Amino acid sequence: MEGSSRSRGEEADQVTENLHYIELRRSICKGEWDGVKQFFVDHKHPLNTIILSDYTALHVAIKSGQDTIAEELVNMMSETDLEMRKGRPGAEGHTPLSLAAWTGRTHVAKCLVQKNSKLLTIETNKGYIPVTVASSVGNKEMTKYLYSITPHDIYGPEKRLKVKLPTTSSGEVQIAVPRHQSHNQKNIKRQAFGLLCGFGLMLLNFFGIKQIYDLKLKHLYAVEILQCMCNHLSTLKEQHRVDCGVVEAIFEASKQGMVEFVIELLKINQPLIYNNKDGRNVFMVAIQYRQENIFNLFYGIHEAWKTLILNRKDVKGNNTLHVAGEIAPHFQLARITSPALQMQRELQWFKEVERIVPEWCKEAKNFRDGEKPPKTPYEVFSESHKELVQEGGKWMKETASSFIIVGTLIVTIMFAAAFTVPGGNDQNSGFPIFLRKRSFMIFIISDAISFFAASTSVLMFLGILTSRFAQEDFLVSLPKKLMIGLSTLFISIAAMMVSFCAALLIMLHNRQWAIIPIILMASIPVTLFVWLQYPLLVEIFVSTYTSKIFDRKMKPWL
């Protein structure tokens, strides 16, 4: 009974204490410093007492954005109290400074550093120092401030492995580079601004020159930081570099298409013989994620390396051509507008890889995947692209069907117009009355051009509708037919408008006030068609005939 009463008494005391902590947290969140100060005077609690989960009063003040209360608490606490790292196993375990870095409370961070500069090098439970915490969440100003005062020996060889540098996708954080390392800055500015630099900053912003300059400057900083990293990594042993995660970084850079990053790290590491967890090398990953800039580096390496790379298989028995046979990631396909051109790009990749791999790769089969039998690269390509072929065929049919209707209407109109000429025919000779007028010849010639161009267009679109839509057809045949059909349809529409204007010119002789507005209005349909369909025509032409995604003349670099 006595033990039970004691237990209930302790529980009551705990409840009372929790209520006091709730009041303290409420005072902190409201910014009531007098209430916070009075709490510690009345209850005699240490200033580093846990009042919420893993947080002290200072943590709560920082996270709540109450800078004044946070600074007052910092002034009252000892240096040792500020170094305490709160957190359960697996939790972040923020120090006050790392929490300030995470929330972007620069004034509080300055107060903390002034009180105890050792906080700059104390890591969280997950191995982050304050500057890397700020960088990971994209706090630009905080990162610049902490980097400027963080001891540089924290980045030295003996501590580098302990400091994790989270990546940020915001692109906002720039680490300050010493001035003597930025000697190319003036050259970049001169290249970016050119002759426009005298027109003022507003004009530069209007034309986007300032943005180009900023991008080039960011690129310069990134390159210089990369060079510093590589210079240090070159002093480490190979196993040490592997333990640092350099190999994983190269595979991630290959996935993202970061050419300069891959080149510099490959020069000092040469991990072409290394594989990722799937057993794929750097160039197999580049093929998998359709990063042509990374893949083009293959053409600039030594023949011995090429042989080694092309004869590798991953953990599932897939060789390089098997990887090319897999369908591209969605984000890469989304860069191309239509399913037909997406299928064309996939075929271009497969054909390019097929051209460089050894003969045995073309017929080799991968390992059995569960109940699925082993497959050759061609079987992998056909199976993975089955839906894309159907979508591309459907898009081609719908596009051809729409344009064939327009072409048929133009053919019908132009055929009838050739025999119902403006002004009619002479009843004695049977020749058109306005035969000798220049405007009449323009009418007849433009009518004939429109008729023949529309007929060609209809035939091209009819050829698409009757196509078998095999995989190989998407490489050249179908895009070429669509390109010819669109080009001739555009010519027929333009010629039809010229024919229409010439007929009006004949009928409205010497009435310039009426002719000019009509001609201007006649140009509207042609302009609309160009505006809507010309980008598609250009994309098809570029993708089919002038696509330079593979650079076989890459200069040797490794």
Side-chain angles (χ1 to χ4, degrees), residues 13 216 309 323 341 366 372 407 411 454 476 486 530 539 548:
D13 292 341
K216 287 192 173 184
I309 292 168
V323 178
L341 296 182
N366 55 16
K372 297 181 180 179
V411 169
V476 176
L486 283 174
V530 172
E539 185 178 7
K548 300 295 182 182

Side-chain angles (χ1 to χ4, degrees), residues 134 305 446:
W305 282 114
S446 59

Side-chain angles (χ1 to χ4, degrees), residues 280-343:
R280 297 184 175 183
N281 57 50
V282 171
F283 293 102
M284 293 175 77
V285 171
I287 295 171
Q288 177 184 356
Y289 289 94
R290 302 300 191 263
Q291 297 292 350
E292 59 271 9
N293 292 330
I294 304 296
F295 176 75
N296 287 335
L297 298 177
F298 174 84
Y299 298 107
I301 63 177
H302 193 272
E303 290 297 329
W305 282 114
K306 290 182 180 180
T307 303
L308 183 64
I309 292 168
L310 295 176
N311 284 279
R312 284 299 184 95
K313 288 186 176 183
D314 65 10
V315 295
K316 295 183 179 180
N318 295 306
N319 60 45
T320 307
L321 193 57
H322 279 102
V323 178
E326 299 172 358
I327 193 166
H330 175 73
F331 69 89
Q332 287 288 12
L333 291 176
R335 294 165 54 188
I336 305 174
T337 54
S338 67
L341 296 182
Q342 291 173 0
M343 186 62 197

Side-chain angles (χ1 to χ4, degrees), residues 280-513:
R280 297 184 175 183
N281 57 50
V282 171
F283 293 102
M284 293 175 77
V285 171
I287 295 171
Q288 177 184 356
Y289 289 94
R290 302 300 191 263
Q291 297 292 350
E292 59 271 9
N293 292 330
I294 304 296
F295 176 75
N296 287 335
L297 298 177
F298 174 84
Y299 298 107
I301 63 177
H302 193 272
E303 290 297 329
W305 282 114
K306 290 182 180 180
T307 303
L308 183 64
I309 292 168
L310 295 176
N311 284 279
R312 284 299 184 95
K313 288 186 176 183
D314 65 10
V315 295
K316 295 183 179 180
N318 295 306
N319 60 45
T320 307
L321 193 57
H322 279 102
V323 178
E326 299 172 358
I327 193 166
H330 175 73
F331 69 89
Q332 287 288 12
L333 291 176
R335 294 165 54 188
I336 305 174
T337 54
S338 67
L341 296 182
Q342 291 173 0
M343 186 62 197
Q344 182 191 49
R345 179 56 55 87
E346 289 292 276
L347 281 166
Q348 289 172 344
W349 267 98
F350 189 78
K351 293 294 182 181
E352 183 67 18
V353 176
E354 182 185 32
R355 190 186 67 84
I356 63 175
V357 297
E359 287 297 324
W360 70 265
C361 291
K362 300 177 182 179
E363 298 298 331
K365 294 186 177 182
N366 55 16
F367 299 150
R368 181 183 297 274
D369 185 10
E371 298 181 356
K372 297 181 180 179
K375 297 182 179 65
T376 64
Y378 302 99
E379 293 171 340
V380 170
F381 184 87
S382 298
E383 183 175 336
S384 62
H385 291 80
K386 186 179 300 182
E387 293 184 4
L388 188 59
V389 170
Q390 295 176 352
E391 292 175 4
K394 181 181 178 181
W395 181 84
M396 276 285 187
K397 288 181 179 179
E398 292 176 351
T399 303
S401 298
S402 301
F403 287 133
I404 201 171
I405 295 174
V406 179
T408 303
L409 288 174
I410 295 175
V411 169
T412 304
I413 294 170
M414 292 296 100
F415 183 83
F419 297 99
T420 55
V421 296
N425 298 325
D426 188 298
Q427 294 184 355
N428 296 322
S429 62
F431 293 109
I433 295 175
F434 299 112
L435 180 62
R436 299 184 182 277
K437 296 190 66 171
R438 182 179 300 176
S439 54
F440 182 81
M441 294 305 299
I442 294 175
F443 167 79
I444 288 297
I445 292 174
S446 59
D447 183 278
I449 292 175
S450 179
F451 176 79
F452 292 126
S455 300
T456 304
S457 175
V458 170
L459 291 175
M460 288 295 103
F461 292 130
L462 187 61
I464 293 175
L465 292 176
T466 57
S467 175
R468 58 177 184 161
F469 295 102
Q471 292 177 357
E472 295 289 337
D473 294 341
F474 287 92
L475 187 60
V476 176
S477 177
L478 289 174
K480 181 172 69 175
K481 290 178 182 178
L482 183 59
M483 184 174 59
I484 295 174
L486 283 174
S487 301
T488 52
L489 184 61
F490 169 73
I491 294 172
S492 68
I493 293 176
M496 181 178 66
M497 291 297 103
V498 173
S499 177
F500 175 75
C501 292
L504 290 179
L505 189 63
I506 295 172
M507 304 300 293
L508 300 175
H509 183 63
N510 294 329
R511 290 177 175 82
Q512 301 294 332
W513 60 270

Side-chain angles (χ1 to χ4, degrees), residues 211-236:
Q211 288 82 350
I212 295 174
Y213 165 72
D214 290 339
L215 287 174
K216 287 192 173 184
L217 190 58
K218 285 184 179 181
H219 180 262
L220 174 65
Y221 286 152
V223 170
E224 290 183 346
I225 293 173
L226 177 61
Q227 290 292 343
C228 292
M229 291 171 52
C230 292
N231 290 339
H232 172 72
L233 288 172
S234 62
T235 64
L236 303 180

Side-chain angles (χ1 to χ4, degrees), residues 106-127:
T106 307
H107 292 297
V108 178
K110 291 180 179 179
C111 183
L112 286 163
V113 173
Q114 187 176 2
K115 184 71 175 284
N116 186 355
S117 60
K118 295 180 182 178
L119 294 171
L120 292 167
T121 59
I122 298 179
E123 302 171 359
T124 65
N125 288 345
K126 294 188 177 181

